[in-house]
């Protein structure tokens, strides 16, 4: 499943993501939900071409380049992508007129969706001369989409001969990497072009003009400048004097973001696809984030020391876009400021326990980088009566005693209360618990994944089903079957259980009802 689903698991509505796949490591949890009837705001997508089975050949086959989005009208991720996609389409009319941005309603054009193997929304496909070349796994903001397509359709670096052209490029790009060369040849130039071809998050320019180079802060040929025009910050240039591909990669990665970046829908791609897997997140009041405020000053000072190693994110906890962070880290009612750490690849969360001082923040940043920071895991209180319709309700604090009990074989469902898929699985799961009610060695359990965590529970979307066999240090087994029926789940438990058991015989009527019952997948 695609990389973009990594942005969808943990807290939602702000970040654009694709279908669920492997472990979703960003702070998002807007799995699409059929029960969500909220209408997306009207977006001007007049420059996005609507593709159907009838006009597919006319649009895509006859276009030099085409990016095609397969979407569903009810999909929350598609709604979030819509304004970015529309803005990119309008920009591309000017900067890359050979490229077409198109969209297909996959719930209507089922034959097209089937032809291209669409399994989740949104899925984007890249076509060249009418032929499918690849899936699109690039940025999901307008600027990122445009830059990606410009790289695919034009030169890796734009040649700049005069200062006016440089200024035009700066106006269109917050970050611009400018290479200065005596001629477009040699080792330094080849290293520059090689990296430029691989990198879509930053625009590249090349020049042999001493005047242009000077305007970009460069003096000697064979050097590189990153020119930054971040909002609310003065224009700045930073120079790399020796060019090889590894040095260029490290340099650009460390300079392409502002010292601190505000958590918002528009910045999500920059945060989560920066190439830097660990973030510090300052969750605090608007007053603390004002220029000159002590908290902000401390944070920016530490950010300058660890630039390129950590992404320093700010969250205005009084703003409309704070909810995902507040919910994911369990900060409702917390006193400001709170400093958090997040290691995306391992889904580990950290919290500064000491008062917010320069020394404490520096040590906290160092501990996350060197692996000595202790992760935190959310948990609800252990319920007095842990059973609901025969299903054992587990929380973070009770995973060790219930799920990891070496004398039990345990099937654990990790769900989200808002998840439509989970709601449809619920009656089947209750029947499963009833089916195993008299088998003392088997536990049918569930855990609210939005409120509870455990380092050994690897959540891959909602719902996630994991079987924990009896025995010491047994390896968890994810349920990856296509149909979540009573029969398939029963067979899954039987195939993996370590403690022998016998199920009570079912009547023929019960057997027939179980066989005829729709699966969670079918109901979706």
């Amino acid at each position: 499943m695609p990389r973009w689903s990594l942005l969808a698991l943990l807290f939602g509505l702000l970040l654009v993501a694709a279908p669920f796949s492997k472990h979703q490591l960003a702070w998002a949890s807007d799995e699409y939900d059929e029960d969500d009837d909220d209408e997306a705001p009207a977006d001007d997508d007049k420059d996005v071409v609507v593709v159907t089975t009838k006009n597919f050949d006319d649009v895509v086959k006859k276009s030099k380049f085409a990016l095609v989005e397969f979407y569903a009208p009810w999909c929350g991720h598609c709604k979030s992508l819509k304004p970015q996609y529309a803005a990119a389409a309008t920009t591309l009319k000017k900067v890359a007129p050979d490229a077409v941005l198109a969209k297909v309603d996959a719930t209507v054009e089922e034959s097209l969706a089937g032809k291209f193997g669409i399994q989740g929304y949104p899925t984007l496909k890249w076509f060249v001369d009418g032929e499918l070349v690849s899936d699109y796994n690039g940025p999901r903001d307008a600027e990122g989409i445009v830059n990606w397509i410009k790289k695919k359709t034009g030169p890796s670096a734009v040649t700049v001969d005069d200062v006016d052209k440089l200024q035009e490029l700066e106006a269109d790009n917050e970050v611009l990497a400018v290479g200065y060369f005596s001629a477009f040849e040699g080792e330094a130039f080849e290293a520059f072009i090689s990296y430029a071809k691989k990198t879509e998050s930053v625009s590249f320019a090349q020049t042999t003009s001493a005047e242009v180079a000077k305007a970009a802060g460069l003096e000697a040929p064979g050097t590189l400048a990153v020119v930054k025009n971040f909002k609310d910050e003065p224009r700045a240039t930073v120079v790399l004097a020796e060019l090889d591909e590894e040095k260029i990669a490290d340099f650009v990665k460390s300079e392409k973001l502002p010292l601190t970046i505000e958590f918002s829908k528009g910045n999500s791609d920059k945060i989560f696809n920066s190439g830097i897997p660990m973030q510090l997140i300052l969750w605090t009041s608007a007053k603390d984030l004002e220029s000159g405020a002590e908290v902000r000053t401390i944070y920016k000072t530490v950010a300058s020391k660890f630039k390129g190693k950590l992404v320093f994110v700010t969250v205005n906890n009084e703003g409309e876009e704070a909810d995902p962070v507040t919910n994911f880290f369990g900060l409702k009612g917390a006193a400001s400021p709170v400093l958090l750490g997040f290691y995306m690849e391992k889904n580990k969360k950290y919290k500064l326990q000491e008062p917010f001082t320069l020394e404490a923040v520096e040590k906290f940043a160092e501990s996350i980088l060197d692996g000595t920071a202790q992760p935190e895991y959310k948990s609800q209180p252990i319920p007095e009566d842990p059973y609901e319709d025969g299903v054992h309700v587990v929380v973070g604090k009770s995973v060790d005693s219930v799920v990891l009990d070496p004398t039990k074989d345990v099937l654990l469902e990790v769900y989200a209360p808002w998840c439509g898929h989970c709601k449809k699985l619920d009656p089947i799961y209750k029947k499963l618990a009833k089916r195993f009610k008299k088998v003392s060695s088997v536990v049918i359990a569930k855990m609210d994944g939005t409120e509870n965590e455990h380092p050994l529970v690897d959540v891959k979307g909602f719902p996630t089903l994991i079987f924990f066999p009896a025995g010491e240090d047994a390896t968890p087994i994810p349920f990856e079957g296509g149909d979540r029926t009573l029969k398939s789940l029963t067979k899954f438990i039987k195939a993996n259980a370590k403690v022998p058991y016998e199920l009570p015989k079912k009547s023929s009527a019960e057997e027939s009802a179980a066989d005829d019952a729709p699966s969670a997948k079918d109901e979706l």
Side-chain angles (χ1 to χ4, degrees):
M1 287 173 277
R3 170 177 65 90
W4 273 94
S5 64
L6 300 179
L7 298 180
L9 169 66
L10 302 172
F11 57 91
L13 300 179
L14 291 184
L15 305 181
V16 178
F20 282 93
S21 63
K22 50 190 281 196
H23 186 59
Q24 278 118 317
L25 38 96
W27 331 320
S29 71
D30 185 15
E31 181 181 13
Y32 59 85
D33 188 344
E34 307 91 315
D35 299 328
D36 180 9
D37 295 325
D38 293 341
E39 291 296 324
D43 301 304
D44 185 3
D45 59 354
K46 58 182 174 58
D47 295 318
V48 177
V49 181
V50 176
V51 172
T52 65
T53 304
K54 292 181 179 180
N55 72 348
F56 182 84
D57 287 347
D58 285 337
V59 174
V60 178
K61 292 285 187 182
K62 294 181 180 179
S63 297
K64 176 66 177 174
F65 305 102
L67 182 62
V68 182
E69 175 202 3
F70 292 83
Y71 73 97
W74 42 258
C75 163
H77 307 314
C78 305
K79 293 176 183 178
S80 297
L81 176 61
K82 185 178 179 181
Q84 301 296 328
Y85 201 63
T90 300
T91 300
L92 286 167
K93 286 183 69 176
K94 179 178 69 172
V95 301
D98 287 341
V100 170
L101 259 60
K103 64 179 181 180
V104 177
D105 184 342
T107 65
V108 174
E109 306 299 332
E110 294 182 355
S111 61
L112 276 180
K115 178 180 179 180
F116 294 106
I118 306 304
Q119 297 182 340
Y121 310 114
T123 294
L124 291 90
K125 303 279 185 178
W126 176 243
F127 295 81
V128 178
D129 292 326
E131 298 297 323
L132 175 62
V133 173
S134 66
D135 283 353
Y136 172 85
N137 287 316
R140 300 284 175 114
D141 64 287
E143 182 180 347
I145 293 170
V146 170
N147 285 339
W148 189 92
I149 291 178
K150 283 166 66 177
K151 285 287 177 67
K152 296 294 183 181
T153 61
S156 301
V158 178
T159 299
V160 181
D161 295 322
D162 59 66
V163 174
D164 288 343
K165 178 63 175 177
L166 177 67
Q167 291 175 344
E168 288 178 13
L169 288 173
E170 287 190 37
D172 292 335
N173 298 279
E174 277 191 336
V175 180
L176 182 67
V178 183
Y180 176 34
F181 307 96
S182 299
F184 297 143
E185 59 186 21
E187 290 184 7
F189 175 72
E190 292 302 327
F192 169 79
I193 286 297
S194 177
Y195 181 70
K197 286 179 179 178
K198 301 172 185 176
T199 308
E200 285 123 18
S201 58
V202 173
S203 293
F204 290 78
Q206 59 190 29
T207 188
T208 57
S209 165
E211 185 182 11
V212 172
K214 183 178 180 181
L218 295 167
E219 296 180 359
T223 56
L224 171 70
V226 170
V227 184
K228 299 179 283 190
N229 287 282
F230 295 122
K231 183 181 178 182
D232 299 327
E233 292 188 14
R235 178 182 183 271
T237 62
V238 187
V239 174
L240 178 65
E242 296 181 16
L243 303 190
D244 64 46
E245 192 165 347
E246 184 177 351
K247 288 179 180 177
I248 293 171
D250 290 341
F251 178 67
V252 172
K253 183 172 69 173
S254 67
E255 298 295 343
K256 69 180 181 179
L257 293 178
L259 278 181
T260 64
I261 183 167
E262 180 184 6
F263 177 75
S264 69
K265 178 178 176 180
N267 286 336
S268 62
D269 181 67
K270 295 174 184 176
I271 294 170
F272 298 119
N273 291 282
S274 65
I276 303 170
M278 290 178 277
Q279 299 127 13
L280 252 58
I281 307 108
L282 173 59
W283 181 91
T284 194
S285 65
K287 185 177 181 180
D288 279 343
L289 296 175
E290 292 177 356
S291 179
E294 182 181 10
V295 168
R296 177 183 171 88
T297 301
I298 290 172
Y299 197 52
K300 296 199 80 166
T301 300
V302 178
S304 65
K305 181 177 179 180
F306 293 94
K307 184 172 62 175
K309 298 178 181 179
L310 295 164
V311 179
F312 285 75
V313 183
T314 62
V315 182
N316 175 5
N317 61 20
E318 300 166 351
E320 295 179 356
E321 296 185 313
D323 284 352
V325 183
T326 303
N327 296 335
F328 179 46
F329 287 96
L331 298 176
K332 190 172 182 179
S336 302
V338 176
L339 184 61
L340 308 157
F342 188 56
Y343 189 177
M344 293 196 303
E345 292 177 353
K346 297 186 177 180
N347 189 30
K348 289 187 175 181
K349 300 183 294 186
Y350 311 89
K351 185 184 291 184
L352 176 66
Q353 303 294 343
E354 303 172 31
F356 193 94
T357 64
L358 179 61
E359 182 181 8
V361 174
E362 282 188 359
K363 287 183 177 179
F364 183 62
E366 288 171 351
S367 69
I368 291 174
L369 287 170
D370 65 24
T372 59
Q374 294 300 308
E376 284 203 342
Y377 298 98
K378 287 193 301 184
S379 179
Q380 294 173 302
I382 298 175
E384 291 185 12
D385 180 2
Y387 288 94
E388 289 182 6
D389 296 313
V391 179
H392 196 125
V393 178
V394 173
V395 297
K397 294 176 181 178
S398 61
V399 168
D400 287 343
S401 60
V402 177
V403 179
L404 303 183
D405 183 343
T407 68
K408 306 289 186 182
D409 289 299
V410 182
L411 179 64
L412 175 67
E413 176 206 3
V414 185
Y415 71 96
W418 43 257
C419 165
H421 307 293
C422 306
K423 293 174 184 177
K424 290 184 171 65
L425 175 61
D426 189 57
I428 298 170
Y429 207 64
K430 289 176 180 175
K431 288 180 182 178
L432 185 70
K434 184 177 180 181
R435 185 85 179 93
F436 281 87
K437 183 177 181 180
K438 295 183 179 180
V439 181
S440 61
S441 63
V442 174
V443 177
I444 307 301
K446 67 177 182 179
M447 182 174 80
D448 182 347
T450 67
E451 295 290 342
N452 301 279
E453 299 164 332
H454 189 278
L456 296 183
V457 178
D458 186 16
V459 180
K460 298 180 182 297
F462 294 133
T464 286
L465 291 162
I466 310 171
F467 188 78
F468 292 81
E472 298 289 347
D473 301 321
T475 301
I477 304 167
F479 177 78
E480 295 176 341
D483 296 321
R484 295 188 289 262
T485 62
L486 181 61
K487 179 183 286 186
S488 65
L489 293 174
T490 301
K491 287 183 177 180
F492 177 66
I493 293 171
K494 184 176 180 62
N496 294 291
K498 297 299 182 183
V499 181
Y501 67 86
E502 289 290 335
L503 276 176
K505 295 288 185 180
K506 292 190 293 184
S507 68
S508 57
E510 288 175 325
E511 193 77 50
S512 176
D515 290 342
D516 294 339
S519 71
K521 178 183 177 182
D522 293 335
E523 292 180 352
L524 294 175

